[in-house]
Amino acid sequence: MSRVAVFPGSFDPMTMAHLDVARRAAALFDRLVIGVLHNPKKSPVFDIDERVAMIRASVADFDANVQVEAFDGLTVVFAERNEASFIVRGLRAVSDFEAELQMAHTNRKLQRGVDTVFLMSALEFGYLSSTLAKEVAQFGGDVSGMVPPPVAAALAARFAS
Ligand code: PNS
């Protein structure tokens, strides 16, 4: 039996914390599909194609069992479409837990065949968020070590002016 998981998120942009979770999840599952949410109600810094491209470049050295796809709508539908029985999410701190618990229960209510699996973020990335990385880059700070190199380059280009 092949174990397939999706790793959904906004990824605006992907951070080292996300990358670390993706790497560890890829080792746990036969196939991992990183799902980049296209939410027309939000105004991300990077559009959906840019976010997908940056993640693909960031996971280029991963095993071939990792794919990156855009999706819209419900995560459980995205999971079903990929024949995935698991949703992977990273937990940085207790503060993440409440919202993640609510999402996990909602997803289970929507689709009993899909379970959420949490991976604790690596200790060194516990402070990181996409929002913080964008803020640091916006004010000219050094984001290397916070985001994968393709993302650091994209942030530098975006905020160059
Ligand atoms: O990176 P984020 O913003 O924390 O990811 C949140 C995400 C994309 C996992 C969540 O908002 C989501 O699953 N959105 C899709 C809509 C959905 O399925 N909603 C019901 C379950 S919460």
Side-chain angles (χ1 to χ4, degrees), residues 7-12 18 35-37 39 42 71-77 87-89 92 99-100 102-104 106-107 110 130:
F7 176 23
S10 306
F11 301 112
D12 182 44
H18 293 131
V36 188
L37 181 67
N39 184 350
K42 281 198 178 173
F71 79 102
D72 53 20
L74 292 174
T75 288
V76 289
V77 173
I87 295 169
V88 170
R89 292 284 290 169
R92 288 166 301 185
E100 292 297 334
Q102 202 175 13
M103 279 201 275
T106 305
N107 286 329
L110 291 169
S130 300

Side-chain angles (χ1 to χ4, degrees), residues 76 79-80 84-86 107-116:
V76 289
E80 271 183 300
S85 305
F86 302 95
N107 286 329
R108 193 97 205 289
K109 179 83 183 159
L110 291 169
Q111 177 51 266
R112 280 206 82 74
V114 178
D115 249 310
T116 302

Side-chain angles (χ1 to χ4, degrees), residues 74-154:
L74 292 174
T75 288
V76 289
V77 173
F78 177 65
E80 271 183 300
R81 218 168 34 236
N82 283 284
E83 297 177 346
S85 305
F86 302 95
I87 295 169
V88 170
R89 292 284 290 169
L91 279 180
R92 288 166 301 185
V94 174
S95 50
D96 283 340
F97 182 76
E98 215 164 314
E100 292 297 334
L101 181 74
Q102 202 175 13
M103 279 201 275
H105 282 311
T106 305
N107 286 329
R108 193 97 205 289
K109 179 83 183 159
L110 291 169
Q111 177 51 266
R112 280 206 82 74
V114 178
D115 249 310
T116 302
V117 174
F118 294 104
L119 293 181
M120 302 307 137
S121 288
L123 198 56
E124 66 266 39
F125 303 132
Y127 70 97
L128 257 180
S129 70
S130 300
T131 304
L132 259 180
K134 282 183 284 196
E135 188 171 308
V136 171
Q138 189 170 5
F139 295 113
D142 180 9
V143 291
S144 59
M146 294 184 189
V147 295
V151 176

